[in-house]
Amino acid sequence: MMGQRTTVWFDRHRISPDVPDHMESVDTMCEHLNRLIEEEVNTGIPKERIVLGGFSMGGAMAMQVAYRHHPSIAGVAALSAFLNNDSVVYKAVREAGGSLPELFLCQGGKDPLVIPEWVKQTHRMMDSLGVPCQFHFFPKMYHEMCVQELELLRTWILKKLSL
């Protein structure tokens, strides 16, 4: 990021929806996360009681794992996150043929890293493919989280898990 060394969930050719997913690194991380989910399932937690979520690349990774590998989970939360225009997630959703977990998306209007239109496009695409979606836009928020967003997320998770 901006010439700095960082820790990321997966590699990107560039931060833009117009480039292909870096599938080698995405799939490697999917394998790690799939193992964690299976460990939870093996302890007795049903997939229908699991919500995946993340911020920025973590949100993109949550969408990759859920819609490609675990379509029976309770929900997916992606905060300040987007999918590339030709993402394999869209193909997986098209081919799923059943009910899919609801997608909870949030985005800040002043985010300089994840351009708001990219998240809006992800929302439009997932919605058009039949994924139940909630989209919350915070006009004054940057690449960050805010209390109102986290309160909405908390309410959504409690509803998804019927708590």
Side-chain angles (χ1 to χ4, degrees), residues 107-153:
Q107 179 60 26
K110 293 186 175 184
D111 190 333
L113 185 62
V114 175
I115 307 305
E117 185 53 38
W118 301 347
V119 180
K120 290 175 182 178
Q121 176 59 29
T122 297
H123 170 249
R124 285 190 297 269
M125 186 64 159
M126 293 297 271
D127 186 58
S128 75
L129 293 171
V131 174
C133 297
Q134 280 192 38
F135 179 68
H136 301 278
F137 187 70
F138 301 89
K140 296 181 180 180
M141 192 170 72
Y142 292 87
H143 194 67
E144 60 189 345
M145 291 179 272
C146 68
V147 172
Q148 183 184 7
E149 174 185 32
L150 295 175
E151 287 172 351
L152 287 168
L153 176 61

Side-chain angles (χ1 to χ4, degrees), residues 18 22 35 59 71 97 120 145:
D18 298 323
H22 190 285
R35 282 194 293 275
K120 290 175 182 178
M145 291 179 272

Side-chain angles (χ1 to χ4, degrees), residues 66-125:
Y67 296 109
R68 291 177 58 210
H69 302 280
H70 301 281
S72 63
I73 65 166
V76 182
L79 312 178
S80 299
F82 69 96
L83 293 172
N84 292 349
N85 293 337
D86 65 347
S87 177
V88 295
V89 172
Y90 299 136
K91 180 180 179 195
V93 167
R94 275 187 203 98
E95 294 173 356
S99 67
L100 292 165
E102 183 177 13
L103 176 59
F104 180 92
L105 280 166
C106 293
Q107 179 60 26
K110 293 186 175 184
D111 190 333
L113 185 62
V114 175
I115 307 305
E117 185 53 38
W118 301 347
V119 180
K120 290 175 182 178
Q121 176 59 29
T122 297
H123 170 249
R124 285 190 297 269
M125 186 64 159

Side-chain angles (χ1 to χ4, degrees), residues 1-6 15 111-114 143:
M1 298 288 180
M2 300 181 191
Q4 297 177 15
R5 191 177 172 136
T6 61
I15 300 175
D111 190 333
L113 185 62
V114 175
H143 194 67

